[in-house]
Structures are given as structure tokens and as C-alpha cells.
Amino acid sequence: MFQTLRIKLLLGLAPLLAMMVGLGLWAVAMLDHLGGRIDVILRENYESVLAAEGMKEALERMDSAAQFAINGQDERARKQFRDYQSMFLRNLEKERNNVTLVLEGEQLLADELTALYAKYLKQSEEFYALPAEPAGNRSEFYFEQMYTTFLEIKNKADRVLEINQANMKSEDRKARDAATQSKRVMALALVGAALVASVIALMLGRSILEPIQAVTRASRALTRGDVDQVVPVVSHDELGELAAAFNTMARTIRDYRQAGTARLLRAQKTAQATIDSFPDPVVVVDPTGTVERANPAARRLLNVIPSEDAAIPWTPPPQLRAPLADVLAGRPDNLPSGLEHALCFRDLGQERFFSPRVLPIEGESHELLGAALVLSDVTKFRLVDQLKNDMVSTVSHELKTPLTGMQMAVHLLLEEVVGPLTPKQTELLLAARQDSDRLLAMINDLLDLTRIEQGRVRLDLQPTAPADLIGEAVERFESQARDAGVSLKGNVPFGMAPVLADRERIAHVFDNLINNALVHTGSGGSIELSAFASDAMVGFVIRDTGAGIASEHLSRLFEKFYRVPSPRVRGGAGLGLAIAREVVSAHGGQITVESQVGKGTTFTFTLPIDPAVGLSGVHQGTTQETTA
């Protein structure tokens, strides 16, 4: 049966996709199961614990009111009794509505609490009905009746507290057991998936690489002049078509060598047919930049019409002129890898994105014969990247609201609004508040990055003196630098022209770069901030004497979520430098980094000079220094 290479790849990847879907569904089910247990703890037990604590607190206050009455403070006693009576009733009602049916005896305890409280109220009415003098009558009545009922109610509330706390511990243990079992199953599933993936990769690699290697060996032999090359066609997919096309080309070359000039024309047509077979636009130009060949996709998209008789002058689109001119001038290949370099063209009424690649065409003696321009269609990848950014923005926005609510709840608990805390509870809540603050900062970074990338952030550009930006940055970190034993200073030449900058956004760039420098610079090191003028830009330099960054990490340093492995860095999401790059780019500047391991790191970014002022002269040898 005829199968294309795409179908083979899809069939090979189908088991992996099925395993991924299965693992994902299983993980969702397990998370739902664990979330259910946590919800049980919070809904059925934690509310009852709070209600029991509230009843005990109110009961203590009501009992204190009786003590005031015995001591002759009758008006104060009655007021306090009424105030805390409503508090006790609210918590009693909460407990009655939150009885856990699976807990044996909780319903009975709730009923007993209701009955005892009614008894206590009746005794209280009799107590306060007794005359204030002599106090002995009230005291005797209190210790013989009310105090006994008070202890019974308190013991019942303690019992409600105990059984709910015990059930919370039991549910917690079950959740931990389920999580442990889940990790084991997931580890086994991942090992199985890795084995299946290895087998599939081996099979696919063999079926794809062997025909390609055969074509490669034949091509090398052909370049050495051995034209008697035939590649076996072992399949009917694209690889088989490639082998067949190679055999056709080799046969054409043999015919050309036998028949002379007439065969040469046929070989040229074959070469053109090969270019025409590419779905992406391809243009071949000579060293002067005029078009020699172009496939149908390039003719349709770029309006290129090559002629076999004479080269047709062609003016490339503005986006392609600079990279094409650079390659024809002898510079290296222009091979952009990021989607941010994609160019937008309208093709058949639709907007499509293409990644431009310009490669030089060289002869045997490395002389420049021309250049090839290939526009790779990356529309799907651009849409996937946009979908990913939209998803990150949506998820971050949805997480921010419940996280803010959690922060408020932790704050109220720490303020002891709902009751006193033990030292251990305070310690745990402080840790929770610290973690939630860090998570909220991470979510805010994600939202900021998404807004900047989508162009939804309006910059408040104002003329700002470079000395002010550096001076404020040093001031913000002077205490932290002093505590770390690091020298922090800023040097700015006098007379430097102001830059157009959003002060708040650029301050965020300085904060991120200085904070990174402090993290990687040990005690006794130094961090220096400086500025210099260059054409219509002002460059800002943050140089430290820290541990430095290995060269293999520098190219990816500004990528989202990329973090350089370091024992000094804990936490974080790898967004700070990505946000810094986007902010500087939004201002029309650039940011670069230079670093050597053990010798420190230097970040440099540029901002445009305010055009209303122009480039001011700089007094040589004079600087404004800010030191921490």
C-alpha cells in the first residue's frame, strides 16, 4: 500500500501520542482525586475545628461575665454575656450544619452541645435574676450549677475538636499515600514510554536515514566524476521520489556528457524542476544581485520573473535587502532561528509568515557565484507560539485572583483576626506568605512579558538624565550591597544628553541586572554602573566581578524560562532577562552580554537620546560618581 513519509511518521508517533494522552488523563484524574481529599479536609473538618474553637472562646468570655457579676460589676457582666452569646450561637449553628456523617459521634456531640447550651442559658437567667447583694448567693449558685454546665459544654467542644483533627490527619495520610503511589506509577509509565520511544526512533531512523545515506554516497561519487550512480528505490514515499529524482538527474548528467550541449540544457531544466519542487519560495541570484532562478512559489509571492536568456534586475522587498546584500558582500550565512525574525507576506489573500534564509553559493575555489534565498513557511509555528503566549497570559491572569485571595487569608490569620496562633502556626503562615509573594511576583512577570510582547504596554517616554537613572538604581540597592559586602558605585560623564525612557520600566531593567549581579558576586567583589554616548544612543553598562557565565549559556540567556545552572540561584522562573530584553527593545534599544567564567559579567543596553535635545558634548575626564 502506498504510504507517504508523513503518514509513516504519523503512524510511528501515534503510540507516543496515545501514551502521552493516557498519562495526561491519568494525571488529571489523580490530581482530581488528591484535590478531593484536600477539599474534604477543608470542607468537613477544618470548618468544624474553627467552630469548636469559636464556641470555646465565646463560652470562656460568657463564663468571665459571670465572674464580673459575682464581683458586683453587674452591668458589665450582662453586656459581655450578650455580646458573646451571639458568637457562641453562630459557631454552634456552623457546627450543626457541618457535621461529618462518617465521623462516629459528631452528630450526637452537636445535639448534646445544643441541649447543654440551652441548660446553660436557663441557669444564666436564674443567675442574673438573683439579687446582686449579697454576692454569696450568686457565687454559690454559679459553682453549684453554672460552672458544672460550663465544663460539660467545654468538654463536648474539645471532643468535637479532637475527632475532626484526627480525621484531618487520617485524610492527610491517605492523600500522601495516594501521591506516593502516583509517583511510582508515573515513573514506571515514563520508563515504558522512553523504551517505546527508543524503539520507534530506531525503526524510523533506519527507514529514513538509509535511503538518505544512499543518496548522499551517490552524490559524493557524482561530484568526483563517477556518473554511473544508481540509487535503489526501496519505497514509494517521498524518499523513494527523492531516489528516483536523483537517478533521473544522474541519468541526465550521463546523457549530457554523451550528447554535449543539448544534454546540458536538459540538465538545467532538471535543476529548475528540482527548485520548482520545493513548496517554499526559492530565489537564486548572481553576485550582482540579479535573479537567475526562481520557483513558482517565489514568483507568486515575490513577483520574481527570471529569464533564461538574460538576468532580470530585481529589487528585493525592504526586509530582504540588508541580509541579501550582506551575504553578497562576503559575510556569513544569514540563518535567523527565532520566530521574531519572521517576515509577513500576503499569499493568495492570506497573511503568512516566512523565515528568511540567505546562503552564499560558492565554487570549488570558494569564489562567490551568487546567493540562494529561501523563505521557510513558519506560519503554523507562529500561530503555535502565539497560542502558547495567549495560554500563559490567560493562565497567569486566572491564577492571580485566587492567589490574591490566599494572600489576604494568610494576612488575616497572621493578624489573629479569627483567633490566636501558636508559634508553629505563625511560622508556617509566614512561610506560606513568603511563597505566595514569590509566586505572585512570578505571575506578574509573566503578565508583563506577555503584554510587552503583544504590544499592549504603552511606554510613558519622558526625557530622563542618565545620571538620574543610575543614581536611583544605586540608591535602591545600596543597603543590600552593603549587607552582602559588595562595592556598588555608578559613574556617569557630566553633560550627557537625556534619553527618552519610561522611568518605571527602565528601573525594572536596572533592578533585574543589579540583582543578578549581587547574586553572583561574592563578598569583597564590586559592581559598577556606567554610561557612554554613541551616535544617537546612550549605552548603560552593568559590570560585576562575580562568578561569570559559561559561553554555552550566553546565546540562550535572554530566552523565556531559561536559567543558567548555578548553586547560588534558587527559585525564579527565568523571566527577568527576557522581560529586560523586551523592555529595551520596546524603547528602540538593544541589550547584550559579555562574560568569562571567574572574571565577571558585563551587561550593556542602549536607549535613544531625546531628539529634541540631540547628542550633547561630554566633558572629557569628568564624571559624576555615586557610591554605595
Short mmCIF file of all heavy atoms in Angstrom, two decimals, residues 191-247:
data_model
loop_
_atom_site.label_atom_id
_atom_site.label_comp_id
_atom_site.label_asym_id
_atom_site.label_seq_id
_atom_site.Cartn_x
_atom_site.Cartn_y
_atom_site.Cartn_z
N VAL A 191 9.24 5.34 32.15
CA VAL A 191 10.26 4.41 31.69
C VAL A 191 9.74 3.63 30.48
O VAL A 191 10.44 3.43 29.48
CB VAL A 191 10.67 3.46 32.83
CG1 VAL A 191 11.55 2.34 32.30
CG2 VAL A 191 11.40 4.23 33.92
N GLY A 192 8.48 3.18 30.58
CA GLY A 192 7.89 2.46 29.46
C GLY A 192 7.80 3.32 28.22
O GLY A 192 8.08 2.86 27.10
N ALA A 193 7.39 4.59 28.41
CA ALA A 193 7.29 5.49 27.27
C ALA A 193 8.66 5.72 26.63
O ALA A 193 8.79 5.80 25.41
CB ALA A 193 6.67 6.82 27.71
N ALA A 194 9.70 5.83 27.48
CA ALA A 194 11.05 6.03 26.94
C ALA A 194 11.50 4.83 26.12
O ALA A 194 12.12 4.98 25.05
CB ALA A 194 12.02 6.29 28.09
N LEU A 195 11.19 3.62 26.61
CA LEU A 195 11.56 2.42 25.85
C LEU A 195 10.83 2.37 24.51
O LEU A 195 11.43 2.08 23.46
CB LEU A 195 11.24 1.17 26.68
CG LEU A 195 12.09 0.98 27.95
CD1 LEU A 195 11.60 -0.23 28.73
CD2 LEU A 195 13.56 0.83 27.59
N VAL A 196 9.52 2.64 24.54
CA VAL A 196 8.76 2.63 23.29
C VAL A 196 9.28 3.69 22.33
O VAL A 196 9.42 3.45 21.13
CB VAL A 196 7.26 2.84 23.60
CG1 VAL A 196 6.47 3.00 22.30
CG2 VAL A 196 6.71 1.67 24.39
N ALA A 197 9.57 4.88 22.88
CA ALA A 197 10.09 5.95 22.04
C ALA A 197 11.43 5.57 21.41
O ALA A 197 11.70 5.87 20.24
CB ALA A 197 10.24 7.24 22.86
N SER A 198 12.28 4.89 22.19
CA SER A 198 13.58 4.48 21.65
C SER A 198 13.41 3.50 20.50
O SER A 198 14.09 3.60 19.47
CB SER A 198 14.42 3.85 22.78
OG SER A 198 14.64 4.77 23.83
N VAL A 199 12.51 2.54 20.68
CA VAL A 199 12.29 1.54 19.62
C VAL A 199 11.74 2.23 18.37
O VAL A 199 12.19 1.96 17.24
CB VAL A 199 11.33 0.44 20.13
CG1 VAL A 199 10.96 -0.49 18.98
CG2 VAL A 199 11.96 -0.34 21.26
N ILE A 200 10.75 3.12 18.57
CA ILE A 200 10.16 3.80 17.42
C ILE A 200 11.19 4.67 16.71
O ILE A 200 11.28 4.71 15.49
CB ILE A 200 8.95 4.63 17.87
CG1 ILE A 200 7.82 3.70 18.34
CG2 ILE A 200 8.45 5.53 16.75
CD1 ILE A 200 6.63 4.43 18.91
N ALA A 201 12.01 5.40 17.52
CA ALA A 201 13.04 6.26 16.92
C ALA A 201 14.05 5.44 16.13
O ALA A 201 14.49 5.85 15.04
CB ALA A 201 13.74 7.05 18.02
N LEU A 202 14.42 4.25 16.66
CA LEU A 202 15.37 3.40 15.95
C LEU A 202 14.79 2.93 14.62
O LEU A 202 15.46 2.95 13.58
CB LEU A 202 15.74 2.21 16.84
CG LEU A 202 16.79 1.24 16.28
CD1 LEU A 202 18.11 1.98 16.07
CD2 LEU A 202 16.98 0.07 17.23
N MET A 203 13.53 2.48 14.66
CA MET A 203 12.90 1.98 13.44
C MET A 203 12.72 3.09 12.41
O MET A 203 13.02 2.92 11.22
CB MET A 203 11.55 1.35 13.79
CG MET A 203 11.66 0.11 14.67
SD MET A 203 10.05 -0.52 15.19
CE MET A 203 9.32 -0.87 13.61
N LEU A 204 12.21 4.26 12.88
CA LEU A 204 12.01 5.36 11.94
C LEU A 204 13.35 5.86 11.39
O LEU A 204 13.47 6.18 10.20
CB LEU A 204 11.28 6.50 12.64
CG LEU A 204 9.78 6.31 12.90
CD1 LEU A 204 9.21 7.50 13.65
CD2 LEU A 204 9.03 6.11 11.59
N GLY A 205 14.35 5.95 12.29
CA GLY A 205 15.65 6.41 11.85
C GLY A 205 16.25 5.52 10.78
O GLY A 205 16.81 5.99 9.79
N ARG A 206 16.11 4.21 10.98
CA ARG A 206 16.67 3.28 9.99
C ARG A 206 15.94 3.41 8.65
O ARG A 206 16.57 3.42 7.59
CB ARG A 206 16.55 1.85 10.52
CG ARG A 206 17.14 0.80 9.59
CD ARG A 206 17.05 -0.58 10.24
NE ARG A 206 17.79 -0.62 11.50
CZ ARG A 206 17.77 -1.66 12.33
NH1 ARG A 206 17.05 -2.73 12.04
NH2 ARG A 206 18.48 -1.62 13.45
N SER A 207 14.60 3.51 8.71
CA SER A 207 13.83 3.56 7.46
C SER A 207 14.03 4.87 6.71
O SER A 207 13.84 4.92 5.50
CB SER A 207 12.35 3.35 7.75
OG SER A 207 11.85 4.39 8.57
N ILE A 208 14.40 5.94 7.44
CA ILE A 208 14.57 7.23 6.80
C ILE A 208 16.03 7.50 6.44
O ILE A 208 16.34 7.99 5.35
CB ILE A 208 14.03 8.35 7.72
CG1 ILE A 208 12.51 8.21 7.88
CG2 ILE A 208 14.36 9.73 7.17
CD1 ILE A 208 11.92 9.17 8.89
N LEU A 209 16.95 7.16 7.36
CA LEU A 209 18.35 7.51 7.16
C LEU A 209 19.02 6.67 6.06
O LEU A 209 19.86 7.18 5.33
CB LEU A 209 19.12 7.36 8.47
CG LEU A 209 18.82 8.40 9.55
CD1 LEU A 209 19.62 8.11 10.81
CD2 LEU A 209 19.12 9.80 9.05
N GLU A 210 18.68 5.38 5.98
CA GLU A 210 19.37 4.54 4.99
C GLU A 210 19.17 5.05 3.57
O GLU A 210 20.15 5.15 2.81
CB GLU A 210 18.88 3.09 5.13
CG GLU A 210 19.43 2.41 6.40
CD GLU A 210 19.00 0.96 6.51
OE1 GLU A 210 18.19 0.51 5.65
OE2 GLU A 210 19.48 0.28 7.43
N PRO A 211 17.92 5.39 3.13
CA PRO A 211 17.80 5.94 1.77
C PRO A 211 18.53 7.27 1.61
O PRO A 211 19.13 7.53 0.55
CB PRO A 211 16.29 6.12 1.61
CG PRO A 211 15.67 5.16 2.57
CD PRO A 211 16.60 5.13 3.73
N ILE A 212 18.51 8.11 2.65
CA ILE A 212 19.20 9.40 2.56
C ILE A 212 20.71 9.19 2.46
O ILE A 212 21.41 9.86 1.68
CB ILE A 212 18.84 10.28 3.77
CG1 ILE A 212 17.36 10.66 3.73
CG2 ILE A 212 19.70 11.53 3.80
CD1 ILE A 212 16.91 11.47 4.91
N GLN A 213 21.23 8.24 3.27
CA GLN A 213 22.66 7.96 3.20
C GLN A 213 23.06 7.41 1.83
O GLN A 213 24.15 7.72 1.32
CB GLN A 213 23.04 6.97 4.30
CG GLN A 213 22.97 7.57 5.70
CD GLN A 213 23.15 6.53 6.78
OE1 GLN A 213 23.10 5.33 6.51
NE2 GLN A 213 23.36 6.98 8.02
N ALA A 214 22.19 6.60 1.24
CA ALA A 214 22.48 6.08 -0.09
C ALA A 214 22.56 7.21 -1.11
O ALA A 214 23.46 7.25 -1.96
CB ALA A 214 21.41 5.06 -0.50
N VAL A 215 21.62 8.17 -1.01
CA VAL A 215 21.65 9.32 -1.92
C VAL A 215 22.90 10.16 -1.66
O VAL A 215 23.52 10.66 -2.59
CB VAL A 215 20.36 10.16 -1.73
CG1 VAL A 215 20.45 11.45 -2.53
CG2 VAL A 215 19.14 9.37 -2.15
N THR A 216 23.27 10.30 -0.38
CA THR A 216 24.47 11.09 -0.04
C THR A 216 25.73 10.46 -0.63
O THR A 216 26.58 11.15 -1.21
CB THR A 216 24.60 11.21 1.49
OG1 THR A 216 23.42 11.82 2.02
CG2 THR A 216 25.81 12.05 1.86
N ARG A 217 25.87 9.14 -0.45
CA ARG A 217 27.06 8.47 -1.01
C ARG A 217 27.11 8.59 -2.52
O ARG A 217 28.17 8.86 -3.12
CB ARG A 217 27.04 6.99 -0.61
CG ARG A 217 27.32 6.75 0.87
CD ARG A 217 27.58 5.27 1.12
NE ARG A 217 26.40 4.46 0.81
CZ ARG A 217 25.44 4.16 1.70
NH1 ARG A 217 25.54 4.60 2.95
NH2 ARG A 217 24.42 3.41 1.35
N ALA A 218 25.96 8.45 -3.16
CA ALA A 218 25.93 8.56 -4.62
C ALA A 218 26.24 9.98 -5.06
O ALA A 218 26.90 10.20 -6.08
CB ALA A 218 24.56 8.11 -5.14
N SER A 219 25.76 10.97 -4.28
CA SER A 219 26.02 12.36 -4.64
C SER A 219 27.50 12.68 -4.55
O SER A 219 28.06 13.38 -5.41
CB SER A 219 25.22 13.29 -3.71
OG SER A 219 23.84 13.06 -3.84
N ARG A 220 28.18 12.16 -3.50
CA ARG A 220 29.61 12.40 -3.37
C ARG A 220 30.39 11.75 -4.50
O ARG A 220 31.36 12.31 -5.02
CB ARG A 220 30.09 11.87 -2.02
CG ARG A 220 29.59 12.70 -0.83
CD ARG A 220 29.95 12.06 0.48
NE ARG A 220 29.51 12.89 1.61
CZ ARG A 220 29.54 12.50 2.87
NH1 ARG A 220 29.99 11.27 3.18
NH2 ARG A 220 29.12 13.31 3.82
N ALA A 221 29.96 10.55 -4.88
CA ALA A 221 30.62 9.88 -6.01
C ALA A 221 30.40 10.66 -7.29
O ALA A 221 31.30 10.75 -8.16
CB ALA A 221 30.10 8.45 -6.15
N LEU A 222 29.20 11.25 -7.40
CA LEU A 222 28.89 12.03 -8.60
C LEU A 222 29.77 13.27 -8.70
O LEU A 222 30.22 13.64 -9.79
CB LEU A 222 27.41 12.41 -8.57
CG LEU A 222 26.80 12.94 -9.87
CD1 LEU A 222 26.84 11.88 -10.96
CD2 LEU A 222 25.36 13.39 -9.63
N THR A 223 30.05 13.90 -7.53
CA THR A 223 30.91 15.09 -7.55
C THR A 223 32.35 14.73 -7.93
O THR A 223 33.09 15.60 -8.40
CB THR A 223 30.90 15.77 -6.17
OG1 THR A 223 31.35 14.84 -5.17
CG2 THR A 223 29.50 16.23 -5.81
N ARG A 224 32.73 13.48 -7.68
CA ARG A 224 34.09 13.05 -8.07
C ARG A 224 34.18 12.67 -9.53
O ARG A 224 35.25 12.29 -10.02
CB ARG A 224 34.51 11.87 -7.20
CG ARG A 224 34.70 12.23 -5.73
CD ARG A 224 35.42 11.11 -4.99
NE ARG A 224 34.66 9.87 -5.02
CZ ARG A 224 33.80 9.48 -4.07
NH1 ARG A 224 33.60 10.27 -3.01
NH2 ARG A 224 33.16 8.35 -4.17
N GLY A 225 33.06 12.73 -10.25
CA GLY A 225 33.08 12.42 -11.67
C GLY A 225 32.55 11.05 -12.02
O GLY A 225 32.46 10.70 -13.20
N ASP A 226 32.17 10.26 -11.02
CA ASP A 226 31.62 8.93 -11.29
C ASP A 226 30.12 9.07 -11.52
O ASP A 226 29.31 9.10 -10.59
CB ASP A 226 31.89 8.01 -10.10
CG ASP A 226 31.44 6.58 -10.36
OD1 ASP A 226 30.99 6.28 -11.50
OD2 ASP A 226 31.50 5.76 -9.42
N VAL A 227 29.70 9.17 -12.77
CA VAL A 227 28.30 9.43 -13.09
C VAL A 227 27.47 8.16 -13.19
O VAL A 227 26.27 8.21 -13.40
CB VAL A 227 28.19 10.24 -14.40
CG1 VAL A 227 28.85 11.60 -14.24
CG2 VAL A 227 28.81 9.48 -15.57
N ASP A 228 28.12 6.99 -13.08
CA ASP A 228 27.38 5.72 -13.17
C ASP A 228 26.80 5.35 -11.82
O ASP A 228 27.10 4.30 -11.25
CB ASP A 228 28.30 4.61 -13.70
CG ASP A 228 28.78 4.88 -15.12
OD1 ASP A 228 27.97 5.43 -15.91
OD2 ASP A 228 29.95 4.56 -15.42
N GLN A 229 25.99 6.23 -11.30
CA GLN A 229 25.40 6.03 -9.98
C GLN A 229 23.90 5.78 -10.11
O GLN A 229 23.20 6.51 -10.82
CB GLN A 229 25.65 7.25 -9.09
CG GLN A 229 27.11 7.52 -8.78
CD GLN A 229 27.72 6.41 -7.95
OE1 GLN A 229 27.10 5.91 -7.01
NE2 GLN A 229 28.94 6.03 -8.30
N VAL A 230 23.45 4.75 -9.40
CA VAL A 230 22.02 4.45 -9.36
C VAL A 230 21.65 4.15 -7.92
O VAL A 230 22.24 3.27 -7.29
CB VAL A 230 21.65 3.24 -10.25
CG1 VAL A 230 20.16 2.92 -10.12
CG2 VAL A 230 22.02 3.51 -11.71
N VAL A 231 20.71 4.91 -7.40
CA VAL A 231 20.25 4.73 -6.02
C VAL A 231 19.01 3.83 -6.05
O VAL A 231 18.07 4.10 -6.79
CB VAL A 231 19.91 6.08 -5.37
CG1 VAL A 231 19.35 5.87 -3.97
CG2 VAL A 231 21.14 6.96 -5.33
N PRO A 232 19.01 2.73 -5.28
CA PRO A 232 17.84 1.85 -5.28
C PRO A 232 16.61 2.55 -4.72
O PRO A 232 16.69 3.21 -3.68
CB PRO A 232 18.27 0.67 -4.41
CG PRO A 232 19.36 1.20 -3.56
CD PRO A 232 20.07 2.23 -4.38
N VAL A 233 15.50 2.38 -5.40
CA VAL A 233 14.22 2.93 -4.93
C VAL A 233 13.52 1.84 -4.14
O VAL A 233 12.98 0.88 -4.72
CB VAL A 233 13.36 3.42 -6.10
CG1 VAL A 233 12.03 3.99 -5.59
CG2 VAL A 233 14.10 4.46 -6.92
N VAL A 234 13.55 1.95 -2.82
CA VAL A 234 13.04 0.88 -1.96
C VAL A 234 11.66 1.19 -1.41
O VAL A 234 11.09 0.37 -0.68
CB VAL A 234 14.02 0.62 -0.80
CG1 VAL A 234 15.35 0.12 -1.33
CG2 VAL A 234 14.21 1.89 0.02
N SER A 235 11.11 2.38 -1.70
CA SER A 235 9.79 2.72 -1.19
C SER A 235 9.10 3.64 -2.19
O SER A 235 9.72 4.12 -3.14
CB SER A 235 9.89 3.41 0.18
OG SER A 235 10.62 4.62 0.07
N HIS A 236 7.81 3.88 -1.92
CA HIS A 236 7.03 4.73 -2.81
C HIS A 236 6.65 6.05 -2.13
O HIS A 236 5.71 6.71 -2.55
CB HIS A 236 5.75 4.00 -3.24
CG HIS A 236 6.02 2.75 -4.02
ND1 HIS A 236 6.43 2.74 -5.34
CD2 HIS A 236 5.95 1.44 -3.64
CE1 HIS A 236 6.60 1.49 -5.75
NE2 HIS A 236 6.32 0.67 -4.73
N ASP A 237 7.40 6.42 -1.08
CA ASP A 237 7.10 7.67 -0.40
C ASP A 237 8.02 8.77 -0.93
O ASP A 237 8.62 8.63 -2.03
CB ASP A 237 7.28 7.49 1.11
CG ASP A 237 8.65 6.94 1.47
OD1 ASP A 237 9.55 6.93 0.58
OD2 ASP A 237 8.84 6.51 2.60
N GLU A 238 8.13 9.86 -0.16
CA GLU A 238 8.96 10.98 -0.60
C GLU A 238 10.43 10.59 -0.75
O GLU A 238 11.13 11.12 -1.63
CB GLU A 238 8.84 12.14 0.41
CG GLU A 238 7.51 12.88 0.37
CD GLU A 238 6.46 12.21 1.23
OE1 GLU A 238 6.71 11.05 1.65
OE2 GLU A 238 5.39 12.80 1.47
N LEU A 239 10.92 9.67 0.10
CA LEU A 239 12.30 9.22 -0.04
C LEU A 239 12.50 8.45 -1.34
O LEU A 239 13.55 8.56 -2.00
CB LEU A 239 12.68 8.35 1.17
CG LEU A 239 12.74 9.09 2.52
CD1 LEU A 239 13.02 8.11 3.64
CD2 LEU A 239 13.81 10.16 2.48
N GLY A 240 11.48 7.65 -1.68
CA GLY A 240 11.54 6.97 -2.98
C GLY A 240 11.53 7.96 -4.12
O GLY A 240 12.24 7.78 -5.12
N GLU A 241 10.71 9.02 -3.98
CA GLU A 241 10.69 10.05 -5.01
C GLU A 241 12.04 10.76 -5.09
O GLU A 241 12.50 11.11 -6.18
CB GLU A 241 9.58 11.06 -4.70
CG GLU A 241 8.17 10.47 -4.82
CD GLU A 241 7.11 11.48 -4.45
OE1 GLU A 241 7.49 12.62 -4.09
OE2 GLU A 241 5.91 11.14 -4.51
N LEU A 242 12.67 10.97 -3.92
CA LEU A 242 13.99 11.60 -3.92
C LEU A 242 15.01 10.72 -4.64
O LEU A 242 15.82 11.20 -5.45
CB LEU A 242 14.44 11.86 -2.48
CG LEU A 242 15.85 12.43 -2.29
CD1 LEU A 242 15.97 13.79 -2.94
CD2 LEU A 242 16.21 12.51 -0.81
N ALA A 243 14.99 9.41 -4.35
CA ALA A 243 15.91 8.49 -5.02
C ALA A 243 15.65 8.47 -6.52
O ALA A 243 16.59 8.47 -7.34
CB ALA A 243 15.77 7.09 -4.42
N ALA A 244 14.36 8.47 -6.88
CA ALA A 244 14.02 8.47 -8.31
C ALA A 244 14.48 9.76 -8.97
O ALA A 244 15.00 9.74 -10.10
CB ALA A 244 12.52 8.27 -8.48
N ALA A 245 14.28 10.91 -8.27
CA ALA A 245 14.73 12.18 -8.83
C ALA A 245 16.25 12.20 -8.99
O ALA A 245 16.79 12.73 -9.98
CB ALA A 245 14.27 13.33 -7.94
N PHE A 246 16.97 11.62 -8.00
CA PHE A 246 18.42 11.56 -8.10
C PHE A 246 18.84 10.71 -9.30
O PHE A 246 19.76 11.07 -10.05
CB PHE A 246 19.02 10.99 -6.82
CG PHE A 246 20.52 10.85 -6.89
CD1 PHE A 246 21.35 11.91 -6.58
CD2 PHE A 246 21.10 9.64 -7.29
CE1 PHE A 246 22.72 11.79 -6.66
CE2 PHE A 246 22.47 9.52 -7.37
CZ PHE A 246 23.29 10.58 -7.06
N ASN A 247 18.19 9.56 -9.46
CA ASN A 247 18.52 8.69 -10.60
C ASN A 247 18.26 9.40 -11.92
O ASN A 247 19.03 9.28 -12.88
CB ASN A 247 17.71 7.40 -10.53
CG ASN A 247 18.14 6.53 -9.35
OD1 ASN A 247 19.28 6.62 -8.90
ND2 ASN A 247 17.24 5.69 -8.87
#
